[in-house]
Amino acid sequence: MNWKYIFNPFLKFSERNLLIIGVLSVIAGSLIGKYFSVTYDGIFDAHSSPITFIDSLKENAINILTVFVLLVILGKVIYPKTRFIDIINISLIYRIPIYISSTLISLPLFDKISEQVLNNKDHLENLKFDTMELISIMAVSSILMIFLIYAIVLLVNGFRTATNLKKWQYYIYFAIALIIAEVLSKVLINNL
């Protein structure tokens, strides 16, 4: 197996295959959201909260379209030959690690943490976890961080491939576009 294709599948697979995988992953991610009670309330966010399949689908659509629109605009500025299909595929594919990681968010461990934090919100120094809980929190948090980093790597590599990105300044614009997308998606989802 060539690791390069895991971190940049946009080099290996056709845009048609990526589109099919991306659309299927949105449906699967929305089902995960419904059955695991996970809401996708930002382009990188997933939180435990009951949600319907339709609302989960709407959240995913908003997240995908927000990233798509901002990256198309930036892509066309950087490289006028940037193709819409490449950017939509990036916007779909980067979400796969987020969908996978969202299954971990529904673990009872996080419910217990939330309950303790809410019960001690005025006195966080009273929070108490046993050693196994702390190890579990650290392990699951590390896995979630790896999935988040992988999602960002997919975004960066996909955008670099689609726009022939070379100058370091464009990476700063790319990061700004993602921050704007995060804020914009949260606003749109909260007004859903």
Side-chain angles (χ1 to χ4, degrees):
M1 173 181 284
N2 193 338
W3 287 98
K4 179 169 80 170
Y5 298 129
I6 290 176
F7 293 108
N8 195 352
F10 311 99
L11 293 173
K12 169 87 172 157
F13 301 102
S14 72
E15 59 267 358
R16 181 175 179 265
N17 288 343
L18 288 169
L19 184 63
I20 291 168
I21 292 167
V23 169
L24 291 175
S25 72
V26 171
I27 294 166
S30 298
L31 287 169
I32 288 170
K34 179 193 182 315
Y35 290 108
F36 286 88
S37 295
V38 175
T39 181
Y40 304 105
D41 57 348
I43 66 168
F44 296 116
D45 295 352
H47 297 98
S48 184
S49 177
I51 190 165
T52 66
F53 173 73
I54 297 299
D55 286 342
S56 185
L57 206 53
K58 287 178 189 175
E59 287 177 351
N60 282 318
I62 289 169
N63 289 323
I64 290 163
L65 290 174
T66 305
V67 170
F68 170 73
V69 168
L70 290 171
L71 292 187
V72 161
I73 292 168
L74 181 59
K76 289 291 188 181
V77 168
I78 293 171
Y79 184 67
K81 294 181 181 178
T82 299
R83 299 181 321 156
F84 291 109
I85 186 70
D86 293 333
I87 303 299
I88 194 65
N89 284 339
I90 295 164
S91 303
L92 292 166
I93 297 296
Y94 95 92
R95 302 226 12 107
I96 293 172
I98 294 168
Y99 301 141
I100 295 168
S101 69
S102 66
T103 59
L104 297 174
I105 293 168
S106 64
L107 291 173
L109 170 71
F110 287 106
D111 291 335
K112 184 175 180 179
I113 293 169
S114 298
E115 183 180 321
Q116 278 198 38
V117 169
L118 288 175
N119 291 339
N120 295 299
K121 64 183 174 190
D122 295 328
H123 302 285
L124 293 179
E125 67 275 1
N126 293 337
L127 288 176
K128 295 203 181 352
F129 298 105
D130 64 35
T131 305
M132 280 311 295
E133 287 174 331
L134 287 174
I135 291 171
S136 299
I137 291 168
M138 289 174 31
V140 171
S141 297
S142 298
I143 293 168
L144 291 172
M145 189 61 73
I146 289 168
F147 279 117
L148 175 61
I149 291 167
Y150 182 49
I152 293 169
V153 166
L154 288 172
L155 271 169
V156 170
N157 286 339
F159 192 70
R160 184 175 58 219
T161 301
T163 61
N164 199 19
L165 199 60
K166 300 236 190 290
K167 295 182 180 178
W168 66 268
Q169 296 91 337
Y170 293 140
Y171 288 99
I172 294 172
Y173 300 145
F174 175 75
I176 291 168
L178 291 182
I179 292 168
I180 292 169
E182 175 70 19
V183 172
L184 190 57
S185 70
K186 283 191 173 298
V187 169
L188 292 171
I189 288 169
N190 287 329
N191 292 316
L192 181 72

mmCIF file of all heavy atoms in Angstrom, residues 109-136:
data_model
loop_
_atom_site.group_PDB
_atom_site.id
_atom_site.type_symbol
_atom_site.label_atom_id
_atom_site.label_comp_id
_atom_site.label_asym_id
_atom_site.label_seq_id
_atom_site.Cartn_x
_atom_site.Cartn_y
_atom_site.Cartn_z
ATOM 1 N N LEU A 109 -18.257 7.255 28.282
ATOM 2 C CA LEU A 109 -17.220 8.015 28.966
ATOM 3 C C LEU A 109 -17.473 9.512 28.857
ATOM 4 O O LEU A 109 -17.353 10.258 29.824
ATOM 5 C CB LEU A 109 -15.858 7.648 28.370
ATOM 6 C CG LEU A 109 -14.659 8.490 28.775
ATOM 7 C CD1 LEU A 109 -14.305 8.195 30.229
ATOM 8 C CD2 LEU A 109 -13.483 8.165 27.872
ATOM 9 N N PHE A 110 -17.838 9.978 27.647
ATOM 10 C CA PHE A 110 -18.059 11.403 27.436
ATOM 11 C C PHE A 110 -19.331 11.888 28.118
ATOM 12 O O PHE A 110 -19.403 13.035 28.560
ATOM 13 C CB PHE A 110 -18.063 11.737 25.942
ATOM 14 C CG PHE A 110 -16.685 11.678 25.341
ATOM 15 C CD1 PHE A 110 -16.316 10.632 24.520
ATOM 16 C CD2 PHE A 110 -15.744 12.656 25.624
ATOM 17 C CE1 PHE A 110 -15.044 10.559 23.983
ATOM 18 C CE2 PHE A 110 -14.468 12.597 25.102
ATOM 19 C CZ PHE A 110 -14.114 11.544 24.273
ATOM 20 N N ASP A 111 -20.332 11.034 28.215
ATOM 21 C CA ASP A 111 -21.535 11.397 28.967
ATOM 22 C C ASP A 111 -21.196 11.615 30.437
ATOM 23 O O ASP A 111 -21.679 12.550 31.070
ATOM 24 C CB ASP A 111 -22.615 10.319 28.827
ATOM 25 C CG ASP A 111 -23.194 10.251 27.426
ATOM 26 O OD1 ASP A 111 -23.131 11.282 26.709
ATOM 27 O OD2 ASP A 111 -23.699 9.176 27.038
ATOM 28 N N LYS A 112 -20.349 10.744 30.975
ATOM 29 C CA LYS A 112 -19.944 10.857 32.377
ATOM 30 C C LYS A 112 -19.149 12.143 32.603
ATOM 31 O O LYS A 112 -19.355 12.852 33.594
ATOM 32 C CB LYS A 112 -19.115 9.640 32.788
ATOM 33 C CG LYS A 112 -18.736 9.628 34.236
ATOM 34 C CD LYS A 112 -18.034 8.348 34.614
ATOM 35 C CE LYS A 112 -17.684 8.405 36.105
ATOM 36 N NZ LYS A 112 -17.029 7.188 36.536
ATOM 37 N N ILE A 113 -18.255 12.462 31.678
ATOM 38 C CA ILE A 113 -17.468 13.692 31.785
ATOM 39 C C ILE A 113 -18.405 14.897 31.763
ATOM 40 O O ILE A 113 -18.292 15.799 32.606
ATOM 41 C CB ILE A 113 -16.436 13.793 30.648
ATOM 42 C CG1 ILE A 113 -15.372 12.714 30.798
ATOM 43 C CG2 ILE A 113 -15.789 15.174 30.622
ATOM 44 C CD1 ILE A 113 -14.475 12.569 29.592
ATOM 45 N N SER A 114 -19.319 14.918 30.801
ATOM 46 C CA SER A 114 -20.259 16.039 30.684
ATOM 47 C C SER A 114 -21.086 16.200 31.944
ATOM 48 O O SER A 114 -21.294 17.319 32.424
ATOM 49 C CB SER A 114 -21.190 15.835 29.487
ATOM 50 O OG SER A 114 -20.467 15.806 28.305
ATOM 51 N N GLU A 115 -21.553 15.090 32.477
ATOM 52 C CA GLU A 115 -22.367 15.132 33.695
ATOM 53 C C GLU A 115 -21.560 15.704 34.859
ATOM 54 O O GLU A 115 -22.050 16.561 35.601
ATOM 55 C CB GLU A 115 -22.859 13.718 34.026
ATOM 56 C CG GLU A 115 -23.776 13.662 35.219
ATOM 57 C CD GLU A 115 -24.222 12.235 35.506
ATOM 58 O OE1 GLU A 115 -24.474 11.488 34.538
ATOM 59 O OE2 GLU A 115 -24.288 11.887 36.698
ATOM 60 N N GLN A 116 -20.324 15.248 35.019
ATOM 61 C CA GLN A 116 -19.488 15.756 36.115
ATOM 62 C C GLN A 116 -19.190 17.246 35.944
ATOM 63 O O GLN A 116 -19.207 17.995 36.914
ATOM 64 C CB GLN A 116 -18.176 14.967 36.196
ATOM 65 C CG GLN A 116 -18.306 13.659 36.931
ATOM 66 C CD GLN A 116 -16.956 13.136 37.375
ATOM 67 O OE1 GLN A 116 -16.081 13.903 37.776
ATOM 68 N NE2 GLN A 116 -16.792 11.823 37.311
ATOM 69 N N VAL A 117 -18.909 17.655 34.720
ATOM 70 C CA VAL A 117 -18.613 19.069 34.479
ATOM 71 C C VAL A 117 -19.845 19.919 34.780
ATOM 72 O O VAL A 117 -19.740 20.967 35.428
ATOM 73 C CB VAL A 117 -18.117 19.288 33.029
ATOM 74 C CG1 VAL A 117 -18.068 20.771 32.680
ATOM 75 C CG2 VAL A 117 -16.748 18.650 32.847
ATOM 76 N N LEU A 118 -21.014 19.479 34.333
ATOM 77 C CA LEU A 118 -22.236 20.238 34.609
ATOM 78 C C LEU A 118 -22.562 20.293 36.095
ATOM 79 O O LEU A 118 -22.997 21.331 36.602
ATOM 80 C CB LEU A 118 -23.416 19.642 33.836
ATOM 81 C CG LEU A 118 -23.404 19.874 32.333
ATOM 82 C CD1 LEU A 118 -24.553 19.128 31.667
ATOM 83 C CD2 LEU A 118 -23.483 21.357 32.011
ATOM 84 N N ASN A 119 -22.337 19.184 36.796
ATOM 85 C CA ASN A 119 -22.612 19.156 38.232
ATOM 86 C C ASN A 119 -21.628 20.003 39.031
ATOM 87 O O ASN A 119 -21.934 20.435 40.143
ATOM 88 C CB ASN A 119 -22.599 17.722 38.767
ATOM 89 C CG ASN A 119 -23.772 16.918 38.259
ATOM 90 O OD1 ASN A 119 -24.789 17.466 37.839
ATOM 91 N ND2 ASN A 119 -23.632 15.600 38.288
ATOM 92 N N ASN A 120 -20.432 20.217 38.483
ATOM 93 C CA ASN A 120 -19.397 20.977 39.195
ATOM 94 C C ASN A 120 -18.965 22.221 38.430
ATOM 95 O O ASN A 120 -17.827 22.660 38.574
ATOM 96 C CB ASN A 120 -18.178 20.076 39.440
ATOM 97 C CG ASN A 120 -18.470 18.925 40.352
ATOM 98 O OD1 ASN A 120 -18.842 19.114 41.498
ATOM 99 N ND2 ASN A 120 -18.330 17.713 39.831
ATOM 100 N N LYS A 121 -19.864 22.782 37.637
ATOM 101 C CA LYS A 121 -19.463 23.890 36.759
ATOM 102 C C LYS A 121 -18.943 25.104 37.518
ATOM 103 O O LYS A 121 -18.130 25.847 36.997
ATOM 104 C CB LYS A 121 -20.595 24.272 35.821
ATOM 105 C CG LYS A 121 -21.818 24.814 36.491
ATOM 106 C CD LYS A 121 -22.899 25.099 35.480
ATOM 107 C CE LYS A 121 -24.156 25.512 36.230
ATOM 108 N NZ LYS A 121 -25.294 25.589 35.363
ATOM 109 N N ASP A 122 -19.396 25.292 38.758
ATOM 110 C CA ASP A 122 -18.905 26.419 39.544
ATOM 111 C C ASP A 122 -17.627 26.084 40.308
ATOM 112 O O ASP A 122 -16.930 26.974 40.788
ATOM 113 C CB ASP A 122 -19.990 26.878 40.527
ATOM 114 C CG ASP A 122 -21.206 27.439 39.796
ATOM 115 O OD1 ASP A 122 -21.024 28.016 38.708
ATOM 116 O OD2 ASP A 122 -22.329 27.281 40.319
ATOM 117 N N HIS A 123 -17.331 24.799 40.431
ATOM 118 C CA HIS A 123 -16.151 24.355 41.185
ATOM 119 C C HIS A 123 -15.472 23.216 40.422
ATOM 120 O O HIS A 123 -15.514 22.055 40.822
ATOM 121 C CB HIS A 123 -16.544 23.891 42.584
ATOM 122 C CG HIS A 123 -17.250 24.942 43.381
ATOM 123 N ND1 HIS A 123 -16.581 26.003 43.934
ATOM 124 C CD2 HIS A 123 -18.564 25.107 43.686
ATOM 125 C CE1 HIS A 123 -17.450 26.780 44.567
ATOM 126 N NE2 HIS A 123 -18.664 26.262 44.427
ATOM 127 N N LEU A 124 -14.822 23.562 39.319
ATOM 128 C CA LEU A 124 -14.190 22.536 38.483
ATOM 129 C C LEU A 124 -13.060 21.804 39.206
ATOM 130 O O LEU A 124 -12.685 20.706 38.812
ATOM 131 C CB LEU A 124 -13.687 23.152 37.178
ATOM 132 C CG LEU A 124 -14.781 23.646 36.224
ATOM 133 C CD1 LEU A 124 -14.169 24.264 34.981
ATOM 134 C CD2 LEU A 124 -15.714 22.511 35.837
ATOM 135 N N GLU A 125 -12.549 22.404 40.267
ATOM 136 C CA GLU A 125 -11.495 21.720 41.031
ATOM 137 C C GLU A 125 -12.030 20.469 41.727
ATOM 138 O O GLU A 125 -11.259 19.612 42.160
ATOM 139 C CB GLU A 125 -10.836 22.662 42.044
ATOM 140 C CG GLU A 125 -11.732 23.126 43.178
ATOM 141 C CD GLU A 125 -12.600 24.347 42.840
ATOM 142 O OE1 GLU A 125 -12.533 24.839 41.706
ATOM 143 O OE2 GLU A 125 -13.346 24.777 43.712
ATOM 144 N N ASN A 126 -13.354 20.347 41.812
ATOM 145 C CA ASN A 126 -13.964 19.169 42.445
ATOM 146 C C ASN A 126 -14.126 17.985 41.488
ATOM 147 O O ASN A 126 -14.585 16.928 41.905
ATOM 148 C CB ASN A 126 -15.339 19.531 43.032
ATOM 149 C CG ASN A 126 -15.226 20.498 44.191
ATOM 150 O OD1 ASN A 126 -14.187 20.588 44.831
ATOM 151 N ND2 ASN A 126 -16.285 21.232 44.450
ATOM 152 N N LEU A 127 -13.773 18.165 40.242
ATOM 153 C CA LEU A 127 -13.875 17.057 39.288
ATOM 154 C C LEU A 127 -12.927 15.944 39.709
ATOM 155 O O LEU A 127 -11.760 16.191 40.015
ATOM 156 C CB LEU A 127 -13.518 17.514 37.876
ATOM 157 C CG LEU A 127 -14.522 18.411 37.173
ATOM 158 C CD1 LEU A 127 -13.975 18.847 35.827
ATOM 159 C CD2 LEU A 127 -15.840 17.703 36.988
ATOM 160 N N LYS A 128 -13.438 14.751 39.684
ATOM 161 C CA LYS A 128 -12.612 13.609 40.082
ATOM 162 C C LYS A 128 -12.832 12.459 39.094
ATOM 163 O O LYS A 128 -13.952 12.049 38.849
ATOM 164 C CB LYS A 128 -12.981 13.155 41.493
ATOM 165 C CG LYS A 128 -12.670 14.186 42.550
ATOM 166 C CD LYS A 128 -12.502 13.559 43.895
ATOM 167 C CE LYS A 128 -12.222 14.499 45.019
ATOM 168 N NZ LYS A 128 -11.954 15.834 44.821
ATOM 169 N N PHE A 129 -11.712 11.975 38.561
ATOM 170 C CA PHE A 129 -11.741 10.821 37.669
ATOM 171 C C PHE A 129 -10.730 9.813 38.187
ATOM 172 O O PHE A 129 -9.652 10.185 38.643
ATOM 173 C CB PHE A 129 -11.368 11.233 36.240
ATOM 174 C CG PHE A 129 -12.302 12.229 35.623
ATOM 175 C CD1 PHE A 129 -11.938 13.565 35.493
ATOM 176 C CD2 PHE A 129 -13.554 11.844 35.184
ATOM 177 C CE1 PHE A 129 -12.804 14.474 34.924
ATOM 178 C CE2 PHE A 129 -14.417 12.755 34.611
ATOM 179 C CZ PHE A 129 -14.046 14.078 34.485
ATOM 180 N N ASP A 130 -11.088 8.538 38.081
ATOM 181 C CA ASP A 130 -10.115 7.529 38.497
ATOM 182 C C ASP A 130 -9.071 7.341 37.388
ATOM 183 O O ASP A 130 -9.204 7.874 36.295
ATOM 184 C CB ASP A 130 -10.788 6.211 38.895
ATOM 185 C CG ASP A 130 -11.510 5.525 37.755
ATOM 186 O OD1 ASP A 130 -11.039 5.593 36.608
ATOM 187 O OD2 ASP A 130 -12.552 4.886 38.025
ATOM 188 N N THR A 131 -8.047 6.593 37.688
ATOM 189 C CA THR A 131 -6.921 6.425 36.765
ATOM 190 C C THR A 131 -7.352 5.853 35.415
ATOM 191 O O THR A 131 -6.930 6.344 34.366
ATOM 192 C CB THR A 131 -5.850 5.519 37.396
ATOM 193 O OG1 THR A 131 -5.478 6.072 38.662
ATOM 194 C CG2 THR A 131 -4.629 5.413 36.514
ATOM 195 N N MET A 132 -8.202 4.845 35.430
ATOM 196 C CA MET A 132 -8.653 4.236 34.171
ATOM 197 C C MET A 132 -9.473 5.229 33.340
ATOM 198 O O MET A 132 -9.372 5.236 32.108
ATOM 199 C CB MET A 132 -9.467 2.967 34.437
ATOM 200 C CG MET A 132 -8.619 1.747 34.729
ATOM 201 S SD MET A 132 -7.279 1.478 33.546
ATOM 202 C CE MET A 132 -8.153 1.139 32.045
ATOM 203 N N GLU A 133 -10.263 6.042 33.998
ATOM 204 C CA GLU A 133 -11.037 7.057 33.262
ATOM 205 C C GLU A 133 -10.108 8.072 32.615
ATOM 206 O O GLU A 133 -10.304 8.445 31.455
ATOM 207 C CB GLU A 133 -12.013 7.767 34.211
ATOM 208 C CG GLU A 133 -13.190 6.919 34.622
ATOM 209 C CD GLU A 133 -14.048 7.587 35.670
ATOM 210 O OE1 GLU A 133 -13.531 8.400 36.473
ATOM 211 O OE2 GLU A 133 -15.256 7.283 35.683
ATOM 212 N N LEU A 134 -9.089 8.495 33.354
ATOM 213 C CA LEU A 134 -8.131 9.447 32.791
ATOM 214 C C LEU A 134 -7.370 8.852 31.609
ATOM 215 O O LEU A 134 -7.169 9.517 30.585
ATOM 216 C CB LEU A 134 -7.148 9.921 33.868
ATOM 217 C CG LEU A 134 -7.725 10.878 34.908
ATOM 218 C CD1 LEU A 134 -6.700 11.145 35.998
ATOM 219 C CD2 LEU A 134 -8.164 12.169 34.256
ATOM 220 N N ILE A 135 -6.971 7.605 31.727
ATOM 221 C CA ILE A 135 -6.270 6.931 30.621
ATOM 222 C C ILE A 135 -7.205 6.821 29.416
ATOM 223 O O ILE A 135 -6.801 7.083 28.278
ATOM 224 C CB ILE A 135 -5.754 5.548 31.062
ATOM 225 C CG1 ILE A 135 -4.617 5.720 32.063
ATOM 226 C CG2 ILE A 135 -5.305 4.719 29.867
ATOM 227 C CD1 ILE A 135 -4.167 4.442 32.741
ATOM 228 N N SER A 136 -8.453 6.469 29.664
ATOM 229 C CA SER A 136 -9.440 6.362 28.583
ATOM 230 C C SER A 136 -9.674 7.711 27.917
ATOM 231 O O SER A 136 -9.739 7.809 26.690
ATOM 232 C CB SER A 136 -10.766 5.815 29.111
ATOM 233 O OG SER A 136 -10.600 4.536 29.645
#
